[in-house]
Amino acid sequence: MRLYRVSAAQWAVDAPAKLNLFFEVLARRSDGYHEIETLMCPIGLYDTVLFSPSDSGRIDFACVKSARSGGEDLPADGRNLVVRAIELLRQRTGCRQGAEVRLIKRIPMQAGLGGGSSDAAAALVVALQAWGLRVDPAELRQWAAELGSDVPFFLGRGAAVCRGRGEVVEPAAGGGLSFVVVRPDEGLSTAEVYRHCRPPEQPRSVGPAVAALRRGDAFALGRALFNRLESAAASLSPWIERLHRAFARLDLCGHQMSGSGTAFFGVCRHARHARTAAMRLTAMGFRQVFAVGGGV
């Protein structure tokens, strides 16, 4: 996440997407969520949150979507996660200032890439800075967890192992890898994917994926990729198997679905390999294709 000043009256944050390099579902919790263990890595695909403080006392929100973000138009009221994040911050701090907020949306939606959670974390960070508020980092992480399971991850930097329902974040060393990412024409509901997933009797360990990422070993990481949700998603959408077949033709170090889908990614040997793979996937007819770096 990159915070910077655009002008004397405006701040901005570039909010990254993420990939789940490992995803295990451990159990269903009494609160309706699932206990998980996942290795998440930010990637070089960003939304941007622009924030101009005002004395109006209102939060005026608008979203500008790129053609590649897809999905339906986002609501501009409290149903929007960016607005909810800012309103939560005002409520907990007693701040009465207003703001004009613009979200430039580039990360595909309903894709398992974490765009909404990243935008919410970016909104918290930029509002704190622009309004001159001071909040204990541990308290801010608690507020972030109220907004969504992935939001606390995006308050940090770099890759991390996330446990609990995703809100318990342990930084993981590593980065510098290259990926190719495709978001197909159809999204999936996270809740629906979880409903079709059955926790295993013997969960897999995140250890090999963490070790490979720490070494920056693309081949070892490719072998360690795992996502328990992928088979459930495949039962709901034909795109998962189609993407699996397409990626298998690309001589990648490994490939799988990210999060609850439907985005699919491949681990590449280097940035040039990622760009070549992206061109081949585009030639196959996929419209939302990205060659990106990881660990940014």
Side-chain angles (χ1 to χ4, degrees), residues 16-23 36-43 112-115 117-118 148-155 157-163 165-175 179 194 206 209-210 213 221 226 256 258-260 265 294-296:
K18 58 79 176 172
L19 296 175
N20 296 87
L21 306 179
F22 177 92
F23 198 115
I36 67 167
E37 185 173 58
T38 181
L39 174 60
M40 298 205 294
C41 178
I43 58 173
L113 297 176
S117 296
S118 188
S149 300
D150 289 348
V151 180
F153 164 76
F154 289 104
L155 291 176
R157 292 180 176 272
V161 176
C162 301
R163 299 184 174 91
R165 58 180 172 85
E167 84 283 9
V168 181
V169 181
E170 178 187 335
F179 302 94
Y194 270 104
V206 72
V210 172
L213 182 66
L221 180 61
F226 177 73
Q256 71 175 24
S258 181
S260 58
F265 71 92
V296 295

Side-chain angles (χ1 to χ4, degrees), residues 69-284:
S69 67
E72 299 177 354
D73 290 340
L74 295 176
D77 55 20
R79 294 171 296 166
N80 183 278
L81 205 51
V82 168
V83 177
R84 283 171 53 196
I86 296 170
E87 292 291 9
L88 178 65
L89 186 65
R90 292 209 303 177
Q91 176 188 343
R92 299 295 167 82
T93 62
C95 177
R96 296 187 177 182
Q97 295 186 67
E100 183 177 295
V101 184
R102 298 292 177 267
L103 171 61
I104 302 173
K105 192 73 185 161
R106 306 181 190 90
I107 300 171
M109 294 182 282
Q110 287 191 312
L113 297 176
S117 296
S118 188
D119 296 341
L124 291 174
V125 169
V126 73
L128 281 173
Q129 181 66 45
W131 283 337
L133 303 175
R134 294 183 180 273
V135 175
D136 180 82
E139 194 168 23
L140 186 65
R141 287 193 294 271
Q142 290 179 355
W143 299 348
E146 294 179 35
L147 294 165
S149 300
D150 289 348
V151 180
F153 164 76
F154 289 104
L155 291 176
R157 292 180 176 272
V161 176
C162 301
R163 299 184 174 91
R165 58 180 172 85
E167 84 283 9
V168 181
V169 181
E170 178 187 335
L177 295 172
S178 296
F179 302 94
V180 61
V181 183
V182 170
R183 196 281 195 187
D185 293 343
E186 180 181 83
L188 279 172
S189 160
T190 297
E192 190 69 14
V193 173
Y194 270 104
R195 273 196 291 270
H196 284 74
C197 179
R198 298 291 178 266
E201 292 185 5
Q202 294 184 322
R204 293 204 189 190
S205 170
V206 72
V210 172
L213 182 66
R214 183 185 303 118
R215 299 194 306 269
D217 188 334
F219 292 97
L221 180 61
R223 293 191 296 270
L225 294 178
F226 177 73
N227 187 341
R228 180 66 63 184
L229 296 176
E230 188 172 319
S231 59
S235 71
L236 296 169
S237 172
W239 281 100
I240 304 304
E241 180 58 32
R242 179 179 171 185
L243 286 162
H244 181 79
R245 292 196 304 268
F247 274 67
R249 297 164 55 188
L250 297 179
D251 187 30
L252 299 167
C253 300
H255 58 272
Q256 71 175 24
M257 185 183 78
S258 181
S260 58
T262 51
F264 222 79
F265 71 92
V267 182
C268 301
R269 295 188 293 275
H270 42 65
R272 186 176 61 186
H273 183 203
R275 291 192 296 270
T276 301
M279 287 189 291
R280 290 186 60 187
L281 286 161
T282 300
M284 292 178 197

